[in-house]
Amino acid sequence: MRAHLAEVVERADRDDVPTVMTRRGREVAAVVSVEVLRTYQEWEEREINRIIDERTAKPAPGVVFAILLKDGAESASAPKLPTPPIPSGDDLKPFLGHWSPYGPRCY
């Protein structure tokens, strides 16, 4: 693969032929044209916006926030909410390397 990288990039750019790269028989990356990447990014953004619009149009049932804040004190009828965990650096590992609307990450 390394010896043919220029050819792989040329095929992606000129011929729109994607190349899947493997490591020890497992697919790990792909070389695609910038046009294909941009098309995917636009589709992903539309899809995220569609999901957000869908969920805000039909909010899921839950506890009314006013009940939780009744008179500034806990209400006997309000459920006790669990304390959220304190995030650590390891919590971000699943997100590293994914596409971001803010552009590619440079490490």
Side-chain angles (χ1 to χ4, degrees):
M1 172 68 196
R2 291 178 189 170
H4 303 286
L5 184 58
E7 180 185 331
V8 167
V9 171
E10 184 66 24
R11 277 196 319 236
D13 182 39
R14 183 190 60 227
D15 303 329
D16 245 358
V17 175
T19 301
V20 176
M21 293 181 275
T22 61
R23 182 179 293 148
R24 296 181 187 97
R26 188 174 68 91
E27 294 179 344
V28 294
V31 177
V32 297
S33 67
V34 172
E35 182 179 327
V36 169
L37 173 65
R38 297 286 185 252
T39 301
Y40 170 77
Q41 289 173 331
E42 290 168 4
W43 170 84
E44 184 180 46
E45 187 169 339
R46 282 193 312 269
E47 203 50 27
I48 289 169
N49 288 332
R50 183 191 63 77
I51 291 168
I52 290 169
D53 291 344
E54 185 178 281
R55 291 188 181 170
T56 54
K58 300 180 215 168
V63 177
V64 178
F65 193 66
I67 293 173
L68 298 175
L69 299 177
K70 185 177 180 182
D71 298 328
E74 289 188 29
S75 169
S77 64
K80 178 81 170 133
L81 298 176
T83 304
I86 298 172
S88 69
D90 290 341
D91 296 333
L92 298 176
K93 283 183 181 176
F95 301 103
L96 296 178
H98 287 71
W99 175 83
S100 165
Y102 305 108
R105 292 190 170 90
C106 299
Y107 296 105

